[in-house]
Amino acid sequence: MTAIVPAAGYATSSNCTFTGAQGHELSARLERPEGPILGTALFAHCFTCGKDLRVERQLTRALTRQGFGVLSFDFTGLGRSGGDFADSSFSADVADLQAAAGYLGTIIAPPVLLVGHSLGGCAVLSAAPRLPSVRAIATIGAPADPEHVRRLLDGDLDAVRREGSGTVTIAGRRFTVGRSFLEDLQHSSPRKALADFRGATLFLHAPRDAIVGIDNADELYHAASHPKSFVSLDDADHLLTDESDAIYVASVIAAWAGRYIGRDVEEEAQPTGYHVEEVTARNHGGYFTTLDTRGSRYAADQALAKGGTERGPTPYDFLAMALAACTSMTLRVTADRKGWSLDTIEVTVNHRRVHADDCQAPSGTCRVDHFEQEIRLPESLTGDQRATLLSAARRCPVHNTLKSQAEITTQLTT
């Protein structure tokens, strides 16, 4: 992440990058409000837009002034993001949103609010059921069906399908799209995704929207479950080119969302200092969990096969990391005290649960945790030096803790 630059109306704004679903570096911007954070929000721009378009910046800044920490980004192949837009699709945009949510979770907290403008609204509706932290969605001028975008494209779509790619025009801008882009639009349905979302939804739409008609908001509203709301944007245009419209939209979204998300992210914006030894874990749904300790933030998760999203190591991975780190530190201290020249120390730890050899109980009731450690040291060390270091490795504090019977006390607080 680049240096944080102060900006008017909010405490900080920083440019950053994260890896999208297709492996490309995506350009993003994180904005934090002055004072406590009401919640974290993820913003998805419209089809012909980007995070740096004036109206999109007005929307994110207005949301930030209302107390949200907002992450916006350019989808693959657009704006400053990597990749080729011709190779992208609506499904790829949804996957990029999931990647953005994972990134936001590692730097502040997973998003509780998704906001999408136009086709970005379709994308957040499709992504929401896959993001357990999300409690509220707001769309602005969103089509009820991504296929609506195809009808706005000016160009030889048959040639695109026949040749694999081609140039089209929408809202006066030229884009190269691929066959997969057109096919994906036909098979994507945010209305079906709405049936799987259990949070609150807000649909904002202008009756005079000449690009996406008001009937789209009606379809989405009826497809959503309660709690749901609709707000008419009167004479606003599709792109909210009047700054006052953008500010109004953001203020309405913030006031509405506050009813459903509370203020439980406020403390997450204040990481502890290095002198604080405790570890704090926070989980907003699913397995994805943020961990704060000594002024740093980490993320834990589970494998997809177990219902996780694979956005962080598992708890047992952290246990193995603790053993590997402690072993390497112990070896370094031992070598330094002996005055031995030791360049790189590499420790690999594997964890698995195995059946205890001396157990007489039925299979499955005598599983024990087995940590297999492999230490790589320079070949220049003598046999005696290696024996000394191996003995030291077996005495590292974490090794001793795992071998002993540790005591754990647990209590509930409010």
Side-chain angles (χ1 to χ4, degrees):
M1 183 180 294
T2 62
I4 293 177
V5 181
Y10 44 84
T12 58
S13 175
S14 58
N15 294 321
C16 48
T17 61
F18 65 93
T19 303
Q22 301 178 67
H24 302 297
E25 286 299 298
L26 303 187
S27 175
R29 182 175 58 253
L30 176 67
E31 293 166 309
R32 297 172 180 259
E34 294 177 342
I37 292 182
L38 172 65
T40 46
L42 189 57
F43 181 85
H45 61 71
C46 66
F47 177 68
T48 60
C49 308
K51 73 178 189 310
D52 296 317
L53 194 69
R54 183 170 175 268
V55 62
E56 310 295 30
R57 295 206 68 167
Q58 288 172 344
L59 283 167
T60 56
R61 286 181 175 181
L63 277 170
T64 305
R65 292 189 185 100
Q66 296 297 324
F68 282 89
V70 183
L71 180 71
S72 57
F73 68 100
D74 294 327
F75 284 111
T76 297
L78 294 174
R80 300 175 183 272
S81 287
D84 190 341
F85 182 73
D87 297 328
S88 190
S89 64
F90 178 75
S91 296
D93 288 350
V94 174
D96 281 345
L97 273 169
Q98 292 179 261
Y103 173 68
L104 184 55
T106 64
I107 55 177
I108 302 183
V112 293
L113 171 66
L114 300 183
V115 181
H117 187 190
S118 192
L119 188 62
C122 288
V124 299
L125 290 173
S126 298
R130 312 176 194 183
L131 302 173
S133 64
V134 174
R135 305 178 203 172
I137 310 171
T139 67
I140 308 160
D145 195 324
E147 173 72 0
H148 180 88
V149 173
R150 184 191 59 78
R151 297 191 290 272
L152 300 176
L153 300 177
D154 184 12
D156 191 344
L157 302 187
D158 289 335
V160 173
R161 296 187 181 94
R162 184 173 59 254
E163 299 174 11
S165 66
T167 301
V168 298
T169 302
I170 181 171
R173 299 182 63 191
R174 293 169 63 85
F175 293 89
T176 299
V177 298
R179 181 192 300 118
S180 60
F181 176 84
L182 299 179
E183 294 175 347
D184 195 39
L185 290 177
Q186 291 180 303
H187 299 99
S188 300
S189 177
R191 283 176 292 179
K192 291 181 180 179
L194 271 172
D196 297 324
F197 181 62
R198 294 295 177 263
T201 49
L202 170 64
F203 307 100
L204 301 104
H205 215 112
R208 300 179 184 178
D209 190 328
I211 297 183
V212 180
I214 188 68
D215 56 306
N216 287 271
D218 183 64
E219 291 184 43
L220 290 173
Y221 182 84
H222 283 92
S225 302
H226 286 289
K228 56 184 177 180
S229 304
F230 169 76
V231 172
S232 173
L233 300 180
D234 300 329
D235 59 353
D237 58 25
H238 183 69
L239 290 179
L240 304 179
T241 51
D242 188 325
E243 184 176 1
S244 63
D245 289 330
I247 294 173
Y248 171 72
V249 165
S251 61
V252 168
I253 292 174
W256 166 83
R259 179 182 181 89
Y260 302 103
I261 66 174
R263 289 186 175 269
D264 56 1
V265 183
E266 177 177 328
E267 61 182 298
E268 296 192 67
Q270 310 293 332
T272 58
Y274 193 84
H275 63 283
V276 179
E277 298 180 5
E278 66 186 16
V279 176
T280 300
R282 295 185 180 88
N283 181 294
H284 295 287
Y287 284 117
F288 184 83
T289 301
T290 58
L291 304 163
D292 289 308
T293 182
R294 296 192 183 275
S296 297
R297 171 156 291 171
Y298 307 90
D301 207 337
Q302 288 286 359
L304 290 173
K306 293 186 177 181
T309 57
E310 297 186 357
R311 289 184 281 157
T314 70
Y316 274 104
D317 289 336
F318 278 104
L319 202 56
M321 282 191 275
L323 177 59
C326 183
T327 299
S328 65
M329 292 178 185
T330 300
L331 293 176
R332 177 62 63 192
V333 170
T334 302
D336 289 348
R337 286 175 178 171
K338 297 286 187 180
W340 297 339
S341 178
L342 202 59
D343 294 328
T344 301
I345 302 170
E346 185 174 310
V347 181
T348 301
V349 176
N350 286 308
H351 167 264
R352 64 181 190 281
R353 294 183 61 78
V354 300
H355 187 272
D357 293 335
D358 58 351
C359 181
Q360 303 300 318
S363 176
T365 60
C366 289
R367 309 294 287 183
V368 296
D369 291 290
H370 179 76
F371 293 89
E372 187 176 88
Q373 212 170 197
E374 183 177 288
I375 302 172
R376 294 180 181 86
L377 298 173
E379 295 181 359
S380 58
L381 293 174
T382 66
D384 289 342
Q385 288 174 322
R386 288 177 174 274
T388 298
L389 291 171
L390 178 59
S391 177
R394 291 169 175 165
R395 297 194 306 273
C396 97
V398 171
H399 183 283
N400 291 336
T401 297
L402 291 174
K403 292 284 289 184
S404 67
Q405 290 186 333
E407 293 184 359
I408 301 174
T409 59
T410 305
Q411 61 183 358
L412 297 177
T413 61
T414 54

